[in-house]
């Protein structure tokens, strides 16, 4: 018997209703952002298949707004991948045993991050700090801070670390979230100073130092041993300024390029101080020797000092890199990046995903302890050489030249030491000290230009003569006295 028209119409209507219901169910399902694939967990900072580490995949546990636990949400779907933060910073949040950070996933897919006043090793009291109706009246259960993240602005997953005490696995939750802070306009004074004025000052410093290096490299009269040392120091400072310029824009760099920029920054700074130490030793040694007319060319002596300066720099850099990768303790990675989050923790000593891989504090110590020792040795050179100069009653031309070189060494040493000191102070996370470091770094290059060029009349005379096509042909120091009837240096 053929089906009637009424039965056919009813079947079509039933199919439409079922299809509409399924479509509504699909469109209204809760979106849960998962960092790794459904069959993966985060193991030592990398997405790893769960079965390979004998772990279970993460399943979301939903919490009610009033603290109700294990709220049933059957209709949810995973969105795989990291959040799209745009220009905002990403940072990691970890919830593990007795941590200050608590992560709660609401039935609508929203994530709440609560920072507690006291450590909590259990989730049974979740309602005491999650209740929306609490009044902050000094209650210890009230969280210090809380942030809510909408779907798409976070991802969650199970995190497992192998660096626990005794080698046992450490388990917890990880959330990769976008910064909850509002986008700051570029006209804000702090952004202007950090992201606009500071890079401009770095660019100007590179140009100024390059001018000094060119002057001491091009003019034949200045290409003696001290002049070559000044050129090398300025080139090291140029590399240091360029690497620091890369370090400023942390949000535009990945962990590999940021680590390379750190290495260039610290190695070039260490090389500049070793060359400054070589200059101080040379001047100190020349004042103490009785015969200043040594039968050793400046080129050969420069090779000797190059072996010392670059050899020590390369050795300390190799030790620092080895210490960073093999000797550093878990969880002691250097957070010198301006983009590092105050709420970022480490599970098993590993950062997760795209965390900036900075030089660790142990590596920084290997770089900076020699600089501190060099400063002490240079102070000794300064004091003993100054005493010797004060005891001298007559000067020859060579001693007069060495005396001018000693003054130049002293001023360069003071300038670089002050800039290095403010760099260390800027790590104390006080805005005032950071601003002072920016100012000191901006003044370093103009001070070196004044010390090495503008302050020395024989250098300015040679520069003017070069522009007037009257460069002296003789290689003897003090050429301007040949062209001027007397005059002070």
């Amino acid at each position: 018997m053929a089906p009637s028209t009424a039965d056919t119409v009813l079947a079509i209507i039933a199919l439409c209703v079922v299809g509409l219901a399924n479509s509504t169910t699909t469109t209204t399902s809760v979106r849960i952002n998962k960092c790794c694939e459904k069959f993966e967990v985060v193991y030592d900072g990398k997405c790893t298949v769960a079965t390979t580490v004998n772990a279970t995949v993460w399943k979301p546990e939903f919490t009610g707004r009033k603290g109700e636990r294990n709220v049933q949400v059957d209709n949810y779907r995973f969105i795989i991948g990291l959040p799209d933060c745009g220009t905002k910073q990403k940072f990691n949040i970890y919830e593990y045993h007795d941590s200050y950070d608590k992560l709660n996933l609401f039935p609508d897919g929203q994530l709440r991050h609560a920072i507690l006043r006291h450590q909590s090793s259990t989730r049974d009291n979740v309602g005491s700090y999650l209740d929306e109706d609490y009044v902050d009246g000094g209650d210890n259960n009230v969280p210090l801070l809380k942030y809510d993240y909408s779907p798409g602005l976070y991802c969650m997953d199970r995190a497992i670390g192998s660096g626990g005490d005794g080698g046992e696995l450490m388990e917890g939750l990880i959330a990769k979230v976008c910064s909850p802070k509002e986008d700051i306009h570029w006209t804000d004074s702090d952004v202007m100073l950090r992201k606009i004025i500071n890079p401009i000052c770095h660019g100007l410093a590179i140009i100024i130092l390059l001018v000094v290096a060119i002057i001491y490299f091009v003019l034949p009269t200045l290409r003696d041993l001290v002049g070559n040392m000044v050129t090398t120091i300025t080139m090291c400072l140029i590399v240091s300024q360029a690497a620091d310029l890369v370090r400023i824009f942390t949000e535009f760099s990945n962990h590999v390029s940021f680590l390379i920029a750190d290495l260039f920054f610290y190695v070039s700074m260490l090389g500049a101080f070793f060359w400054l130490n070589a200059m101080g030793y040379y001047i100190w040694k020349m004042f103490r020797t009785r015969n200043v007319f040594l039968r050793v060319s400046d080129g050969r002596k420069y090779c000797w000092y190059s072996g010392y300066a670059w050899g020590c720099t390369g050795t300390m850099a190799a030790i620092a890199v080895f210490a960073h990768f093999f000797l550093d303790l878990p969880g002691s990675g250097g957070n010198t990046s301006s983009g590092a989050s105050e709420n970022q923790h480490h599970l098993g000593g590993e950062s997760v995903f795209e965390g900036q891989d900075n030089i660790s504090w142990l590596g920084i110590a290997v770089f900076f302890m020699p600089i501190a020792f060099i400063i002490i040795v240079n102070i000794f050179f300064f004091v003993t050489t100054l005493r010797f100069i004060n005891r001298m009653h007559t000067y020859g031309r060579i001693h007069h030249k060495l005396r001018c070189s000693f003054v130049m060494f002293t001023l360069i040493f003071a300038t670089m030491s002050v800039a290095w000191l403010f760099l260390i102070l800027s790590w104390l996370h006080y805005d005032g000290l950071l601003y002072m470091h920016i100012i000191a770094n901006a003044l370093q290059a103009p001070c070196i230009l004044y010390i090495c060029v503008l302050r020395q009349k024989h250098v300015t005379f040679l520069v003017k003569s070069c522009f007037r096509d009257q460069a002296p042909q003789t290689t003897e120091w003090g050429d301007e006295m040949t062209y001027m009837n007397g005059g002070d240096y």
Side-chain angles (χ1 to χ4, degrees):
M1 179 183 296
S4 63
T5 304
D7 293 338
T8 303
V9 172
L10 290 176
I12 293 174
I13 293 175
L15 290 174
C16 292
V17 170
V18 172
L20 181 62
N22 291 336
S23 176
T24 304
T25 301
T26 302
T27 56
T28 59
S29 60
V30 179
R31 295 176 53 192
I32 305 299
N33 294 80
K34 191 175 186 298
C35 299
C36 300
E37 295 291 341
K38 294 181 180 180
F39 51 86
E40 293 180 331
V41 295
V42 179
Y43 180 77
D44 281 350
K46 297 180 181 179
C47 290
T48 307
V49 178
T51 56
T52 60
V53 292
N54 295 325
T56 57
V57 297
W58 174 68
K59 293 182 179 180
E61 297 181 2
F62 296 95
T63 304
R65 293 281 180 177
K66 300 296 182 180
E68 304 89 348
R69 299 191 60 202
N70 297 325
V71 177
Q72 296 299 319
V73 178
D74 298 327
N75 190 20
Y76 67 86
R77 59 192 176 97
F78 283 128
I79 305 297
I80 307 299
L82 300 178
D84 183 11
C85 298
T87 60
K88 293 183 178 180
Q89 294 279 351
K90 295 187 186 76
F91 65 93
N92 302 328
I93 304 171
Y94 294 91
E95 178 186 345
Y96 51 92
H97 181 70
D98 63 15
S99 65
Y100 288 93
D101 300 285
K102 294 300 175 184
L103 299 172
N104 294 280
L105 195 60
F106 294 137
D108 58 357
Q110 192 177 60
L111 174 67
R112 169 164 295 181
H113 170 216
I115 304 176
L116 308 183
R117 283 188 171 88
H118 301 282
Q119 290 179 334
S120 177
S121 60
T122 178
R123 295 181 59 89
D124 293 336
N125 61 343
V126 62
S128 63
Y129 62 80
L130 193 62
D131 195 341
E132 295 280 354
D133 299 326
Y134 66 75
V135 178
D136 191 351
D139 187 1
N140 290 334
N141 291 328
V142 177
L144 287 173
L145 295 172
K146 62 175 182 176
Y147 300 102
D148 292 336
Y149 303 94
S150 302
L153 298 179
Y154 74 89
C155 71
M156 287 188 67
D157 219 311
R158 183 183 301 279
I160 300 176
S162 60
D165 296 336
E168 72 276 5
L169 296 179
M170 298 177 60
E171 296 190 15
L173 294 177
I174 178 177
K176 186 85 171 180
V177 302
C178 302
S179 174
K181 296 182 180 179
E182 298 292 335
D183 290 332
I184 302 176
H185 199 264
W186 67 271
T187 56
D188 183 77
S189 59
D190 185 72
V191 176
M192 285 278 292
L193 187 60
R194 293 172 183 255
K195 302 297 184 182
I196 298 178
I197 297 179
N198 194 19
I200 292 176
C201 291
H202 277 73
L204 294 176
I206 292 174
I207 295 174
I208 293 173
L209 292 171
L210 188 60
V211 169
V212 177
I214 291 175
I215 290 175
Y216 272 81
F217 181 77
V218 171
L219 297 178
T221 309
L222 300 179
R223 286 206 301 263
D224 57 356
L225 181 58
V226 175
N228 289 335
M229 289 180 173
V230 171
T231 303
T232 309
I233 291 173
T234 52
M235 292 304 299
C236 290
L237 294 178
I238 289 173
V239 176
S240 175
Q241 292 285 339
D244 198 28
L245 185 61
V246 175
R247 286 155 41 94
I248 293 175
F249 301 100
T250 57
E251 62 268 28
F252 301 116
S253 58
N254 57 42
H255 63 284
V256 176
S257 64
F258 199 80
L259 176 61
I260 294 175
D262 264 359
L263 289 176
F264 272 97
F265 176 72
Y266 293 121
V267 170
S268 57
M269 180 181 297
L270 183 62
F273 273 94
F274 269 116
W275 273 105
L276 185 66
N277 180 244
M279 181 190 295
Y281 171 77
Y282 166 73
I283 297 173
W284 173 80
K285 180 181 178 182
M286 292 300 293
F287 268 109
R288 294 179 63 87
T289 185
R290 295 186 177 182
N291 181 18
V292 296
F293 299 99
L294 299 178
R295 295 183 179 180
V296 180
S297 64
D298 284 349
R300 181 176 297 181
K301 286 186 285 187
Y302 182 80
C303 291
W304 292 346
Y305 287 112
S306 295
Y308 160 73
W310 293 127
C312 293
T313 301
T315 301
M316 299 309 301
I319 294 174
V321 172
F322 179 81
H324 170 74
F325 286 106
F326 299 103
L327 300 181
D328 197 38
L329 297 177
S332 61
N335 273 337
T336 58
S337 166
S338 61
S341 169
E342 295 178 359
N343 299 325
Q344 181 171 348
H345 300 283
H346 291 271
L347 184 65
E350 295 289 342
S351 60
V352 178
F353 299 111
E354 299 173 351
Q356 298 289 9
D357 192 5
N358 304 53
I359 291 291
S360 63
W361 289 116
L362 182 59
I364 294 176
V366 175
F367 277 117
F368 274 51
M369 285 302 294
I371 295 180
F373 180 76
I374 287 172
I375 291 176
I376 296 175
V377 174
N378 284 347
I379 292 175
F380 167 77
F381 289 154
F382 166 75
V383 173
T384 54
T385 305
L386 183 62
R387 289 178 179 175
F388 189 84
I389 293 175
N390 292 334
R391 289 198 299 264
M392 293 180 62
H393 301 288
T394 58
Y395 294 97
R397 175 169 292 185
I398 299 298
H399 283 103
H400 190 71
K401 176 184 176 181
L402 288 172
R403 184 175 178 274
C404 293
S405 299
F406 171 72
V407 175
M408 182 173 62
F409 157 76
T410 303
L411 296 177
I412 295 176
F413 168 57
T415 302
M416 292 176 56
S417 299
V418 170
W420 178 76
L421 178 62
F422 279 110
L423 171 63
I424 295 178
L425 293 178
S426 66
W427 295 341
L428 298 178
H429 298 291
Y430 290 103
D431 290 339
L433 295 176
L434 177 61
Y435 299 154
M436 293 176 67
H437 161 62
I438 293 175
I439 295 173
N441 185 74
L443 294 177
Q444 183 182 26
C447 288
I448 291 179
L449 175 65
Y450 170 77
I451 294 167
C452 298
V453 178
L454 301 180
R455 186 182 177 276
Q456 303 189 53
K457 293 185 178 180
H458 74 281
V459 178
T460 56
F461 171 79
L462 292 174
V463 173
K464 291 178 182 178
S465 300
C466 183
F467 281 107
R468 295 172 184 172
D469 295 330
Q470 298 177 357
Q473 300 300 320
T474 178
T475 59
E476 185 180 5
W477 188 84
D479 306 76
E480 72 278 12
M481 296 190 68
T482 307
Y483 291 83
M484 298 182 297
N485 295 323
D488 189 10
Y489 281 50

